[in-house]
Amino acid sequence: MAVTIKDVAKKAGVNASTVSRAIKDSSEISDKTKAKVRKAMHELGYRRNAAAQVLASGKTNTIGVVFPAVNDKESQPFYMKILSSINETARDYDISVAIATGHTVAQLKKQVELQYSEKRVDGFIVLYAGKSDPIREYLLNNKIPFVLVGTPSDHKNEITHVDNDNMLLGREAVHHLVDLHHENISFVTDTTQGEVFEERYHGFKDEAQRYGINEKLLVMDRDFSVTNETALVVIDDVLALKVVKQLTSQGLRVPEDISIITYNNSIFTTIIHPYLTTFDINIEQLGATAVKKFLDLRDEEEKLPEKTIIPFQLIERETTKARI
Amino acid sequence: MAVTIKDVAKKAGVNASTVSRAIKDSSEISDKTKAKVRKAMHELGYRRNAAAQVLASGKTNTIGVVFPAVNDKESQPFYMKILSSINETARDYDISVAIATGHTVAQLKKQVELQYSEKRVDGFIVLYAGKSDPIREYLLNNKIPFVLVGTPSDHKNEITHVDNDNMLLGREAVHHLVDLHHENISFVTDTTQGEVFEERYHGFKDEAQRYGINEKLLVMDRDFSVTNETALVVIDDVLALKVVKQLTSQGLRVPEDISIITYNNSIFTTIIHPYLTTFDINIEQLGATAVKKFLDLRDEEEKLPEKTIIPFQLIERETTKARI
DNA sequence: CTGAAAGCGCTTACAG
DNA sequence: CTGAAAGCGCTTACAG
């Protein structure tokens, strides 16, 4: 059988409770005893039994990661990347990760409820925002600790969340383009829903007006085309790829005739030339911060909800160019 | 506090052990008693405590999913998709999923070892093949149950694995192209490593020779170009995208001048036109089957290793056309 | 078909 | 600073 705390205790000549305390490096235990215990653990190759620890302590030390209930999550590199980041950060804190996925919100909610009620997780990191999500409601109503990656459209003040500053992201795109002497800039999107669109576009518009620049909102469709724009801000990488393709087939050269700047710095930016100039949103840090905030929330009584802003960087590649 | 098996027992007027048996629908228990127990469970809103069950039964009922120790896993939609499929299939069997990720093989191996030795998982599903992987060695040496998605290059006979028939995939591409009257076909790849390349190319070559078709192997690089080919088989979607781009910029039209057929049917096939003709490899079924095979392996004594072949489908889109 | 009891491997007041 | 004991919520031989 596997070696237990009792075996270690016997070998070290102490009580099992002492071993338990020594393992968690309790300040109650003398250094001498700790050393003895550590030696015994080592010699026997002791490994804790996770289930026993959970049962006795009441803490699961695992976080549930909730993916959106849509099929297109597979296509967005964001999710796999943040999952890795969450998992690796969690491991550093000796925390495990469980996942909740589903094709429908109902399925997903069921899995979330089950994970919590069967005491498999201490709480959740939710990887999507959007409006009035039943799962968020459930978590909120039951006072289950969770942190959201993104910006919720409601209950902003009650939800600990971590996100980029999307408004600033909108501003900075304009700022960069203005630096390159562009004066006719449109914002291109394929959706007008959601906080991401709203904030990026808001920032874009605001900054454009501040500079006295011509700006428009273009919604991508089959017969998308531009008029007198010399630069475009595109809401994400995938759409930017389509935009480049469309413009190219209309005889416009990117970036010679028109500059493009976009967001996320996903794999899509560097599959085919011209490689896209884009803002990197630091997914790794989003994930790592979400874990830390979650642990704060779980461990501190009366911890107030807070928003954490993760910085971004402009990655200049081949789709932006100064006007002469 | 949460309601336990004891509370249910009291309410139903039976012993806790009876409740335990009733819950797992043991044939030892009378239907009448089961009904009583179920009623009590329902009224009290009983939920099992996962940790207690694990500790008492010795089964964790969770599978560890091992991702490759590379950074580019984020860019391949395959991983997120198969993870969802594994998670959703597992849930149907009342099984949880844990994940193991890492930037280096050492990190990854450490997490795998920890998960197993701390009894967090019953075994693993490994999402990559490749040659002589230390993690695979570890699992094999310690007789830890695992199934591999893909085809290992060694120990084939000792490892339960699930994969597509890559050789057949190579053949079928040629077959389809020959049906479209193509007679000069090359195979395009960016790597000559790994079972996937070897088998797809092997099948391709074999079938081309069988038909007496001109065939060549082209390795993609900066100055990639074709000579007299009228059709190309490209090893995966992402590379196909690059190939299309390259050919287009050389003045060749796809599919009018040259047909392209590729593999995987990932998101990359339908971002920009021409949409790629591709083989769908049924990732959902790969994942679901991996879970089922894992459970067989875990539960049946002396279960022999086996390979399961998952079927594929040709998805005709815009990059293939008959020669006139 | 059901019950009583021991046990899974930890943690944590309580006592000293 | 350390030990003895109870307990976390299940499962599972054993007995009847």
Side-chain angles (χ1 to χ4, degrees), chain A residues 64-70 73-74 78-84 86 97-102 104 108 112 125-128 135, chain B residues 80 83-84 87-88 99:
Chain A
V65 175
V66 186
F67 291 84
V70 290
K73 63 177 172 297
E74 289 93 14
F78 172 81
Y79 293 107
M80 192 63 225
K81 196 159 182 181
I82 198 163
L83 178 60
S84 305
I86 288 172
V97 162
I99 63 169
T101 63
T104 65
L108 188 63
V112 166
I125 292 176
V126 177
L127 295 186
Y128 61 93
I135 290 164
Chain B
M80 192 64 225
L83 178 60
S84 305
N87 188 49
E88 281 150 40
I99 62 169

Side-chain angles (χ1 to χ4, degrees), chain A residues 4-24:
Chain A
T4 73
I5 219 176
K6 277 188 186 169
D7 303 319
V8 176
K10 190 176 290 173
K11 179 118 188 170
V14 298
N15 188 278
S17 55
T18 302
V19 173
S20 175
R21 293 189 184 103
I23 288 173
K24 52 167 56 73

Side-chain angles (χ1 to χ4, degrees), chain A residues 115-285:
Chain A
Q115 287 184 344
Y116 192 76
S117 63
E118 295 187 343
K119 302 212 174 17
R120 293 181 182 281
V121 300
D122 292 332
F124 299 90
I125 292 176
V126 177
L127 295 186
Y128 61 93
K131 23 188 117 254
S132 65
D133 174 42
I135 290 164
R136 224 155 59 205
E137 291 301 324
Y138 161 75
L139 296 174
L140 238 23
N141 291 338
N142 293 277
K143 300 195 192 319
I144 299 171
F146 74 104
V147 355
L148 191 70
V149 177
T151 299
S153 50
D154 43 43
H155 299 290
K156 272 196 183 58
N157 210 38
E158 301 157 51
I159 297 178
T160 294
H161 57 289
V162 12
D163 201 357
N164 304 103
D165 186 338
N166 279 306
M167 189 119 107
L168 188 59
L169 239 6
R171 289 190 186 283
E172 289 294 315
V174 173
H175 189 81
H176 181 65
L177 260 9
V178 167
D179 276 356
L180 298 176
H181 315 300
H182 290 277
E183 292 164 355
N184 283 286
I185 312 178
S186 287
F187 189 95
V188 185
T189 186
D190 51 359
T191 173
T192 54
Q193 302 286 324
E195 295 289 306
V196 171
F197 163 73
E198 272 172 31
E199 298 198 347
R200 287 183 186 171
Y201 178 56
H202 186 168
F204 162 87
K205 187 164 182 173
D206 219 58
E207 192 76 355
Q209 287 172 352
R210 207 169 69 79
Y211 278 114
I213 287 298
N214 284 323
E215 55 82 18
K216 264 191 313 202
L217 177 62
L218 262 33
V219 179
M220 182 80 172
D221 57 11
R222 315 185 111 263
D223 32 53
F224 167 84
S225 69
V226 295
T227 49
N228 63 341
E229 291 90 340
T230 63
L232 261 26
V233 177
V234 183
I235 196 162
D236 67 48
D237 292 338
V238 177
L239 185 62
L241 220 49
K242 297 182 191 189
V243 168
V244 171
K245 169 79 186 174
Q246 190 88 343
L247 295 175
T248 307
S249 69
Q250 290 170 13
L252 287 170
R253 292 164 307 161
V254 179
E256 290 77 3
D257 299 322
I258 189 162
S259 281
I260 291 185
I261 189 165
T262 186
Y263 298 103
N264 298 355
N265 193 27
S266 76
I267 175 72
F268 296 101
T269 54
T270 53
I271 344 175
I272 54 182
H273 291 282
Y275 287 179
L276 302 169
T277 292
T278 188
F279 286 95
D280 189 295
I281 57 171
N282 267 323
I283 297 176
E284 301 232 334
Q285 204 180 328

